[in-house]
Amino acid sequence: MSKIYDIYFKEDIPKYIEIANHLKQLIDSKKIKDGEKLPTIRELSSNLEVNKVTIVNAYKKLQTDGYAYQKVGSGTYAKRKESISSFNREYSKIFKNLSSDDFEKIIDFTGETNSDVYFPMDDFKNVINKVLDRDGANALIIKESLGYENLRKTINNSFWENKIDLNNILIVSGAQQGIDIAAKAIVNINDNVIVEKPTYGGAISVFKWRRANIFEVELEKDGINLIAFEEILKKNNIRCFYTMSYFHNPTGISYSLEKKLKLLELANKYDFYIIEDDYLSELIYSEDIRHEPLKSLDKYERVIYIKSFSKVFLPGIRLGYMITPSSFTESIQRSKINTDIATSSLMQRALELYISEGFWKKNIEYQKNIYKEKYLLMKELINRELGDNVNYIDPLGGLYINLEIKNKDITSKELFYKLKEKNLYITPGVIFFRDSISGEEFFRISFSQASKEKIIKGIELIKEELK
């Protein structure tokens, strides 16, 4: 630890940058170990004979650049940058290199591939033909920056009982673009944001790209830990909170009504915005869960709502929509236009007709029936075959189940490599955490792309490795 204090300052470089760069070199060279706690602000400022604000700024820069993370009430910890990203790159590369023939041979429990889509193609073909017959070349030429107006009207009518100002509905190319647009509109360099721990890696990437300071808060069975959440709010000026309110990725949990209402109260009290990624809420399998997004309860105009159609429409057709608070409508629209000007006109028109003519509702029921059967089968097998080896929270919907390994002698990454040799692919929990020392005991398994026969075989293979 003495090497930390071995630094000489130059007059032309701000001290906080020199301190941050010095610590980065020590982390990269492994002289400071991955996950090692860094000195307190008081200790480092005393030893380096600089004021505490300089150390605070140095630690903020380390976090922004991905070299440190903060544990509330505990301190700041080193993070070797490659420790997460190298595995994430390797994990991603594995799937990119799989061919369509490979997918026939493997058992895919990742839910990240589209080898088997439950979608009535005849209905979709008829819708496309109707759009082309009705609109002709306009279906391909005309572009509206906010999105096809009739689609926005149909979304408002079909999903929101016409309660939303049409100007606040914006068509986007999927949830990822929606998160990016929202972040560009409201998050600036060194702004503070809160995410759930764990959370969707794509959201973390967006906030890192915006060079925001990211705070993580643990999840409970019915949503985020509100006590820890408010402690951060009291001590920091938070700009936004990103959440998946239904079938959270990867844990599968859904927020209780009580926590939703409390979150909205906190957003109003502490003046921050909520980016709500309404993920897979069409796939509810239990009467214990009611579809009531934060946006539907939002009397304070604090929620930026994002909904993707990709999981339940054709995944290859990137479509979704956002609902924005009136105060942010203009800046979010500018962010959208600066991103890609307009989303596919033909696909928007096809989706509008697909919803308005009743195909959407019929297809959702069709998919729910298929996925519910798989969900019940996978849950039964986990309880019967893996009960001694894993813990889990029953998601009651969605497309996957998140498992916690009881036996700490094996990590989820090690399990991933062992199962890969047997042509079974799972998602290790480390994918969903900012730091490299979290998530090793978790792995996510999805039933969306596997047949019932493959689900049975896959659970048997997991059982063999966990015994």
Side-chain angles (χ1 to χ4, degrees), residues 40-55:
T40 64
I41 292 168
R42 178 182 296 177
E43 180 185 348
L44 194 53
S45 67
S46 174
N47 279 279
L48 295 180
E49 298 181 350
V50 298
N51 62 48
K52 292 178 183 177
V53 174
T54 298
I55 304 303

mmCIF file of all heavy atoms in Angstrom, residues 40-55:
data_model
loop_
_atom_site.group_PDB
_atom_site.id
_atom_site.type_symbol
_atom_site.label_atom_id
_atom_site.label_comp_id
_atom_site.label_asym_id
_atom_site.label_seq_id
_atom_site.Cartn_x
_atom_site.Cartn_y
_atom_site.Cartn_z
ATOM 1 N N THR A 40 -8.869 5.558 2.793
ATOM 2 C CA THR A 40 -9.963 6.510 2.980
ATOM 3 C C THR A 40 -9.546 7.883 2.447
ATOM 4 O O THR A 40 -8.351 8.159 2.265
ATOM 5 C CB THR A 40 -10.322 6.650 4.464
ATOM 6 O OG1 THR A 40 -9.195 7.202 5.159
ATOM 7 C CG2 THR A 40 -10.694 5.301 5.073
ATOM 8 N N ILE A 41 -10.532 8.715 2.204
ATOM 9 C CA ILE A 41 -10.251 10.071 1.697
ATOM 10 C C ILE A 41 -9.357 10.826 2.675
ATOM 11 O O ILE A 41 -8.388 11.481 2.281
ATOM 12 C CB ILE A 41 -11.578 10.826 1.457
ATOM 13 C CG1 ILE A 41 -12.330 10.187 0.280
ATOM 14 C CG2 ILE A 41 -11.332 12.309 1.181
ATOM 15 C CD1 ILE A 41 -13.751 10.655 0.136
ATOM 16 N N ARG A 42 -9.663 10.693 3.957
ATOM 17 C CA ARG A 42 -8.865 11.398 4.970
ATOM 18 C C ARG A 42 -7.425 10.895 4.993
ATOM 19 O O ARG A 42 -6.475 11.685 5.024
ATOM 20 C CB ARG A 42 -9.503 11.193 6.350
ATOM 21 C CG ARG A 42 -8.711 11.854 7.484
ATOM 22 C CD ARG A 42 -9.358 11.590 8.827
ATOM 23 N NE ARG A 42 -10.681 12.201 8.906
ATOM 24 C CZ ARG A 42 -11.491 12.056 9.968
ATOM 25 N NH1 ARG A 42 -11.102 11.317 10.987
ATOM 26 N NH2 ARG A 42 -12.667 12.658 9.990
ATOM 27 N N GLU A 43 -7.270 9.566 4.934
ATOM 28 C CA GLU A 43 -5.927 8.975 4.991
ATOM 29 C C GLU A 43 -5.087 9.385 3.783
ATOM 30 O O GLU A 43 -3.919 9.779 3.918
ATOM 31 C CB GLU A 43 -6.051 7.449 5.047
ATOM 32 C CG GLU A 43 -4.725 6.721 5.109
ATOM 33 C CD GLU A 43 -4.899 5.212 5.041
ATOM 34 O OE1 GLU A 43 -6.045 4.730 5.175
ATOM 35 O OE2 GLU A 43 -3.887 4.513 4.839
ATOM 36 N N LEU A 44 -5.667 9.325 2.596
ATOM 37 C CA LEU A 44 -4.903 9.637 1.389
ATOM 38 C C LEU A 44 -4.592 11.139 1.313
ATOM 39 O O LEU A 44 -3.486 11.525 0.918
ATOM 40 C CB LEU A 44 -5.692 9.195 0.147
ATOM 41 C CG LEU A 44 -4.912 9.139 -1.164
ATOM 42 C CD1 LEU A 44 -3.654 8.305 -1.044
ATOM 43 C CD2 LEU A 44 -5.791 8.588 -2.289
ATOM 44 N N SER A 45 -5.542 11.981 1.699
ATOM 45 C CA SER A 45 -5.279 13.420 1.663
ATOM 46 C C SER A 45 -4.190 13.802 2.658
ATOM 47 O O SER A 45 -3.348 14.671 2.377
ATOM 48 C CB SER A 45 -6.563 14.203 1.960
ATOM 49 O OG SER A 45 -6.986 13.998 3.297
ATOM 50 N N SER A 46 -4.164 13.132 3.804
ATOM 51 C CA SER A 46 -3.141 13.412 4.818
ATOM 52 C C SER A 46 -1.757 12.990 4.340
ATOM 53 O O SER A 46 -0.783 13.746 4.454
ATOM 54 C CB SER A 46 -3.494 12.692 6.120
ATOM 55 O OG SER A 46 -2.459 12.837 7.073
ATOM 56 N N ASN A 47 -1.656 11.780 3.779
ATOM 57 C CA ASN A 47 -0.361 11.259 3.348
ATOM 58 C C ASN A 47 0.187 11.988 2.131
ATOM 59 O O ASN A 47 1.411 12.118 1.971
ATOM 60 C CB ASN A 47 -0.471 9.758 3.055
ATOM 61 C CG ASN A 47 -0.403 8.913 4.313
ATOM 62 O OD1 ASN A 47 0.671 8.639 4.847
ATOM 63 N ND2 ASN A 47 -1.563 8.496 4.798
ATOM 64 N N LEU A 48 -0.694 12.448 1.245
ATOM 65 C CA LEU A 48 -0.235 13.144 0.042
ATOM 66 C C LEU A 48 -0.192 14.666 0.241
ATOM 67 O O LEU A 48 0.228 15.392 -0.658
ATOM 68 C CB LEU A 48 -1.139 12.811 -1.146
ATOM 69 C CG LEU A 48 -1.134 11.352 -1.619
ATOM 70 C CD1 LEU A 48 -2.084 11.176 -2.793
ATOM 71 C CD2 LEU A 48 0.263 10.893 -1.990
ATOM 72 N N GLU A 49 -0.678 15.106 1.403
ATOM 73 C CA GLU A 49 -0.687 16.531 1.741
ATOM 74 C C GLU A 49 -1.459 17.358 0.714
ATOM 75 O O GLU A 49 -1.004 18.372 0.189
ATOM 76 C CB GLU A 49 0.750 17.064 1.893
ATOM 77 C CG GLU A 49 1.515 16.392 3.022
ATOM 78 C CD GLU A 49 2.928 16.927 3.186
ATOM 79 O OE1 GLU A 49 3.380 17.687 2.302
ATOM 80 O OE2 GLU A 49 3.571 16.585 4.185
ATOM 81 N N VAL A 50 -2.645 16.865 0.386
ATOM 82 C CA VAL A 50 -3.568 17.596 -0.479
ATOM 83 C C VAL A 50 -4.912 17.664 0.241
ATOM 84 O O VAL A 50 -5.161 16.920 1.191
ATOM 85 C CB VAL A 50 -3.739 16.912 -1.858
ATOM 86 C CG1 VAL A 50 -2.423 16.862 -2.598
ATOM 87 C CG2 VAL A 50 -4.338 15.511 -1.710
ATOM 88 N N ASN A 51 -5.806 18.554 -0.221
ATOM 89 C CA ASN A 51 -7.098 18.656 0.474
ATOM 90 C C ASN A 51 -8.024 17.496 0.084
ATOM 91 O O ASN A 51 -7.803 16.803 -0.915
ATOM 92 C CB ASN A 51 -7.768 20.013 0.220
ATOM 93 C CG ASN A 51 -8.079 20.236 -1.254
ATOM 94 O OD1 ASN A 51 -8.642 19.376 -1.916
ATOM 95 N ND2 ASN A 51 -7.707 21.402 -1.764
ATOM 96 N N LYS A 52 -9.054 17.307 0.871
ATOM 97 C CA LYS A 52 -9.950 16.156 0.690
ATOM 98 C C LYS A 52 -10.722 16.226 -0.633
ATOM 99 O O LYS A 52 -11.029 15.190 -1.236
ATOM 100 C CB LYS A 52 -10.926 16.082 1.868
ATOM 101 C CG LYS A 52 -10.257 15.720 3.190
ATOM 102 C CD LYS A 52 -11.267 15.712 4.321
ATOM 103 C CE LYS A 52 -10.577 15.423 5.655
ATOM 104 N NZ LYS A 52 -11.527 15.482 6.790
ATOM 105 N N VAL A 53 -11.033 17.445 -1.079
ATOM 106 C CA VAL A 53 -11.764 17.598 -2.348
ATOM 107 C C VAL A 53 -10.964 17.016 -3.502
ATOM 108 O O VAL A 53 -11.517 16.399 -4.429
ATOM 109 C CB VAL A 53 -12.089 19.083 -2.610
ATOM 110 C CG1 VAL A 53 -12.711 19.266 -3.991
ATOM 111 C CG2 VAL A 53 -13.027 19.617 -1.534
ATOM 112 N N THR A 54 -9.635 17.174 -3.461
ATOM 113 C CA THR A 54 -8.766 16.621 -4.513
ATOM 114 C C THR A 54 -8.893 15.098 -4.559
ATOM 115 O O THR A 54 -8.979 14.501 -5.638
ATOM 116 C CB THR A 54 -7.299 17.015 -4.253
ATOM 117 O OG1 THR A 54 -7.195 18.443 -4.291
ATOM 118 C CG2 THR A 54 -6.378 16.423 -5.307
ATOM 119 N N ILE A 55 -8.919 14.461 -3.383
ATOM 120 C CA ILE A 55 -9.044 12.999 -3.325
ATOM 121 C C ILE A 55 -10.430 12.567 -3.791
ATOM 122 O O ILE A 55 -10.578 11.573 -4.524
ATOM 123 C CB ILE A 55 -8.761 12.475 -1.904
ATOM 124 C CG1 ILE A 55 -7.376 12.935 -1.435
ATOM 125 C CG2 ILE A 55 -8.860 10.954 -1.872
ATOM 126 C CD1 ILE A 55 -6.224 12.529 -2.328
#
